[in-house]
Amino acid sequence: MKLSELWKQDGYFLSFEVFPPKTDTAFDSVKTAVAKIAALEPSFVSVTYGAGGGTSQYTLDIAKSIQQLHNVPTLAHLTCVSSTKETVHERIEAMRAAGIENVMALRGDLTPELEQSDRSQWAYRYAVDLIHELKEYQDDFCIGGACYPEIHPESQNQKEDIQHLKEKVDAGCEFLTTQMFFDNNLLYNFLYKIREAGITVPVIPGIMPITNAKQLERALKLSGSFIPQRFKALVDTFGYHTQAMTQAGIAYATDQIIDLYANGIKNVHVYSMNKPEVAQKIKENISHILGVK
Ligand code: FAD
């Protein structure tokens, strides 16, 4: 199912994100974890993509198994930054062969080597270039893109970041998923600004349940997200006690999700990180809310 159909439905929706294995040996354990997440019947499951493409086939294998075995729509991520046109065309063909209907079109993070290389030689510099490619080569995917309520780390200012976001939407992006954030007010401010800028597509807030201090450290390194004092206190107190932090992190994420639903958001995406027990607990915490039409 195309996700554009989902956005038309009434009610509240919850989706989960999983990541593919990095090696053959990890494939079965990832597949088992993903199967448990898919069995929770989320509105869709997104499957991330290893930048550089090393695990691209795993992304498709996992996405295909979710669709075929569990009948849950999937969103396959695809990055373009270090790819040639030929490679991207091959991946588009492979997605089509795997029955993928929804693609998250991303640039991918810049490695230190890429930062040093000659950008004029790149086939794709930004996610918008990949969106144009997807539209030209195979115009029947429902395409999503990433957005950053706290600004993409490379952007000079939010106005510029939002202008580039508008270019992605104008190129054919039908929905946007946000980077993680821990203060919902940042999302509400961002929504106000992008709507003012004429971006009207659905925005799916991405919520990351933090289950240990190290995970938060890694996540912050990538996203640079602001940590509210209330959340900092939880991590300072429980961050090195896995079970206690899992409980606290799930409670904090649940609180964020309920607040989002109460403020007009219909779809929330949870960065469930191949942890079925976390996904299950969050779904249980909002089970009655998800039943409200
Ligand atoms: P872009 O939209 O291209 O933006 C990157 C930067 O370039 C921004 O600062 C933007 O303002 C600027 N920019 C855009 N267009 C122009 C232009 N024409 N001229 C000048 N500047 C411009 N990474 C992975 O490797 N695999 C994944 O599966 C993955 N999934 C993700 C899912 C989500 C929801 C999010 C938020 C991120 C994900 N990432 C993933 C990380 C992502 O690849 C990085 O954040 C990357 O640095 C930017 O990707 P983008 O698609 O947002 O890039």
Side-chain angles (χ1 to χ4, degrees):
M1 181 178 103
K2 286 198 176 158
L3 297 185
S4 44
E5 293 303 309
L6 190 69
W7 317 141
K8 292 179 192 158
Q9 294 174 19
D10 286 334
Y12 298 98
F13 299 94
L14 189 70
S15 53
F16 294 122
E17 181 158 300
V18 298
F19 56 84
K22 290 196 174 67
T23 60
D24 273 348
T25 40
F27 190 83
D28 285 343
S29 65
V30 169
K31 209 170 158 194
T32 306
V34 168
K36 287 184 186 162
I37 289 174
L40 297 169
E41 298 179 347
S43 55
F44 68 91
V45 174
S46 72
V47 188
T48 65
Y49 186 87
T55 58
S56 64
Q57 191 51 45
Y58 293 142
T59 297
L60 292 188
D61 291 344
I62 296 283
K64 200 167 143 185
S65 78
I66 295 168
Q67 279 184 177
Q68 288 181 345
L69 302 175
H70 306 281
N71 203 21
V72 170
T74 59
L75 169 62
H77 292 202
L78 180 64
T79 67
C80 61
V81 71
S82 56
S83 303
T84 60
K85 287 224 166 220
E86 292 69 30
T87 320
V88 166
H89 291 171
E90 276 168 25
R91 287 179 188 150
I92 293 174
E93 293 290 351
M95 286 195 297
R96 192 164 68 157
I100 303 296
E101 293 180 283
N102 307 294
V103 184
M104 181 64 133
L106 298 148
R107 186 196 66 181
D109 278 320
L110 300 180
T111 59
E113 298 83 67
L114 284 169
E115 297 249 22
Q116 300 303 320
S117 67
D118 177 4
R119 296 182 191 205
S120 65
Q121 300 303 310
W122 296 359
Y124 308 95
R125 290 184 67 169
Y126 301 107
V128 69
D129 303 327
L130 178 59
I131 296 166
H132 284 303
E133 188 73 79
L134 284 160
K135 285 294 203 193
E136 269 166 37
Y137 193 81
Q138 180 72 55
D139 188 16
D140 63 1
F141 290 115
C142 172
I143 302 174
C147 65
Y148 302 83
E150 295 172 75
I151 310 182
H152 185 272
E154 288 163 39
S155 284
Q156 298 299 317
N157 58 62
Q158 193 168 42
K159 197 169 173 213
E160 206 178 90
D161 208 28
I162 291 176
Q163 269 164 10
H164 295 312
L165 189 61
K166 176 97 173 31
E167 285 158 18
K168 290 204 280 199
V169 173
D170 291 345
C173 209
E174 292 181 61
F175 66 96
L176 299 164
T177 306
T178 75
Q179 179 62 283
M180 72 186 87
F181 55 90
F182 300 98
D183 177 349
N184 286 3
N185 286 327
L186 294 166
L187 188 269
Y188 302 137
N189 287 340
F190 174 71
L191 285 178
Y192 178 79
K193 287 178 184 163
I194 65 168
R195 299 310 185 209
E196 282 260 286
I199 298 174
T200 56
V201 296
V203 174
I204 321 301
I207 297 296
M208 167 85 83
I210 296 295
T211 55
N212 61 70
K214 283 226 159 353
Q215 180 200 358
L216 181 63
E217 218 174 275
R218 276 196 305 273
L220 293 187
K221 225 173 176 179
L222 278 175
S223 66
S225 303
F226 164 70
I227 300 294
Q229 194 53 43
R230 195 166 77 84
F231 187 52
K232 190 172 181 303
L234 296 185
V235 182
D236 286 349
T237 312
F238 305 118
Y240 292 94
H241 303 268
T242 304
Q243 285 175 321
M245 189 61 224
T246 302
Q247 218 164 39
I250 288 172
Y252 192 89
T254 302
D255 197 30
Q256 275 193 283
I257 295 168
I258 294 173
D259 180 72
L260 290 166
Y261 288 143
N263 281 283
I265 305 287
K266 299 285 182 193
N267 302 272
V268 177
H269 192 58
V270 173
Y271 294 116
S272 48
M273 310 289 287
N274 298 2
K275 291 179 187 155
E277 61 295 345
V278 172
Q280 182 176 359
K281 198 75 201 152
I282 288 184
K283 183 153 184 213
E284 272 169 26
N285 288 349
I286 55 170
S287 56
H288 294 300
I289 292 172
L290 292 174
V292 173
K293 292 286 175 222

